[in-house]
Amino acid sequence: ILIFKLVYTGNKDETEKEKLGFFGVIFVVILLALLPTGTIAFFLFVLVGSTNAINILFSLDINTNQVIFLAIALLVYLFSIDNIIEIVVKYIVGQRIFYFLIMMLIRILASYAIGLFIGLNQNNSLTIAVGVSLIIFLFEVAYFLKIKQK
């Protein structure tokens, strides 16, 4: 609704020749809304997939609802508190391999706490936390090395 209001009021300011009709405004709003929705869905599917892969790999017998709740909670954590922690750690340590190791350990602790909060037992929570944090660690290191090569 906010994007619609923004596009609609911006469309009013255009000249008569450049104004979009109502359906043109709706089309632009849908396109603008798909970008953040698609990005969030991509990260959620990655988290659900990695959590489910760890669940299957180690035969943890975690039900699907817990996997989905865990992935959503991890997504919220990764896009809120984790960013603040990253800035602080990067400021203290710099961006070296030690930074990535510290961030992995912090993510393990946070994921473990989230798993316990959701209702997983300690072993399952620790296994999921280490597995998901290791996958995120590998993605981050690969991206860092790719950028460093350029």
Side-chain angles (χ1 to χ4, degrees), residues 47-57 62 67 128:
L47 284 173
V48 168
S50 62
T51 305
N52 203 24
I54 301 294
N55 183 25
I56 292 169
L57 184 66
I62 301 171
V67 169
I128 292 286

Side-chain angles (χ1 to χ4, degrees), residues 67-99:
V67 169
I68 291 172
F69 284 132
L70 181 63
I72 290 171
L74 285 173
L75 184 74
V76 169
Y77 166 76
L78 287 173
F79 282 102
S80 59
I81 300 168
D82 191 62
N83 287 328
I84 297 168
I85 294 172
E86 272 189 57
I87 292 168
V88 171
V89 171
K90 195 180 291 185
Y91 180 74
I92 294 171
V93 178
Q95 191 161 359
R96 295 174 284 183
I97 195 70
F98 192 61
Y99 157 77

